[in-house]
Amino acid sequence: MLSRKLQDAINEQIQKELHSEYIYLSIAAYFKSRDLDGIANFFFVQTQEEHFHALKLFNYLIDRGGTVVLKEIPAPPVTFNSAIEAFEKTLEHEQFITKSINDLMDLAIKENDHALVSFLKWYVDEQIEEEATASRLLNRVKLTGESGPGLFMIDSELSKRTFTPPASGE
Ligand code: OFO
């Protein structure tokens, strides 16, 4: 049985993952309104990943006999001044999520919950990829600038991204 403290912390992480989904949906709307449908596609797929991250915690909490308490999700920014700003926000947000996962892991260790420590390792690894992808795309958009063929090449590449749920999770 999970401690009350850990249950609360997992519910907060579920809220943060759903908030991530909401932020990326808003960023997808921004790129779609600029007719950069490929970059919008990247963020639509990202919303599916975030939903998956939330549901994996949701199912785990129930499996451990906890109670899912869904919390309010703050509104994301409505628009962005540039593609660079949208990718900067993405990287900042992923760094925030990494810290949050690390804090949750610290708490699981402190509470001596070995099962949760094992479960959270997936999220620790996932955050390496989340930050690396955001950082790489930010650097590439900075190199190409806000317009011109470079941005269209990125747009074309990101149009190919599809969502594949990781085999380990449900
Ligand atoms: Fe759930 O990793 Fe991004 O936010």
Side-chain angles (χ1 to χ4, degrees):
M1 186 75 173
L2 280 164
S3 70
R4 181 58 201 252
K5 225 186 231 181
L6 285 175
Q7 177 178 297
D8 291 348
I10 292 173
N11 274 313
E12 287 198 6
Q13 191 62 38
I14 291 172
Q15 186 264 4
K16 285 174 188 159
E17 300 293 346
L18 292 174
H19 187 217
S20 303
E21 179 179 357
Y22 226 33
I23 290 170
Y24 296 140
L25 196 56
S26 189
I27 296 179
Y30 164 71
F31 282 111
K32 198 149 175 63
S33 72
R34 286 188 60 185
D35 293 328
L36 290 164
D37 288 7
I39 304 179
N41 173 64
F42 172 87
F43 282 99
F44 280 128
V45 171
Q46 194 60 33
T47 67
Q48 291 174 279
E49 283 214 354
E50 299 303 349
H51 197 76
F52 176 86
H53 296 169
L55 280 192
K56 191 172 164 74
L57 287 158
F58 177 107
N59 288 326
Y60 181 80
L61 190 47
I62 293 169
D63 285 349
R64 292 287 309 272
T67 305
V68 170
V69 181
L70 294 176
K71 296 172 190 302
E72 199 168 346
I73 301 171
V78 174
T79 192
F80 303 87
N81 292 318
S82 62
I84 290 174
E85 187 188 272
F87 279 104
E88 277 170 350
K89 289 262 183 290
T90 302
L91 179 58
E92 275 166 29
H93 186 70
E94 288 307 328
Q95 287 165 340
F96 165 76
I97 293 292
T98 299
K99 182 178 181 323
S100 179
I101 292 290
N102 288 342
D103 289 347
L104 185 52
M105 179 64 108
D106 286 347
L107 188 61
I109 292 167
K110 199 169 149 223
E111 297 271 308
N112 221 11
D113 192 321
H114 296 262
L116 183 57
V117 168
S118 172
F119 174 79
L120 288 175
K121 280 181 183 157
W122 184 89
Y123 286 85
V124 172
D125 293 343
E126 176 73 1
Q127 280 313 117
I128 294 170
E129 191 191 313
E130 292 281 81
E131 279 197 38
T133 302
S135 174
R136 185 172 53 87
L137 289 173
L138 172 60
N139 287 337
R140 287 176 62 193
V141 173
K142 276 182 178 167
L143 278 174
T144 61
E146 288 297 319
S147 57
L151 197 61
F152 283 108
M153 277 172 70
I154 293 173
D155 188 65
S156 163
E157 183 192 324
L158 296 184
S159 70
K160 298 183 187 81
R161 188 185 190 201
T162 55
F163 175 64
T164 314
S168 64
E170 0 72 63

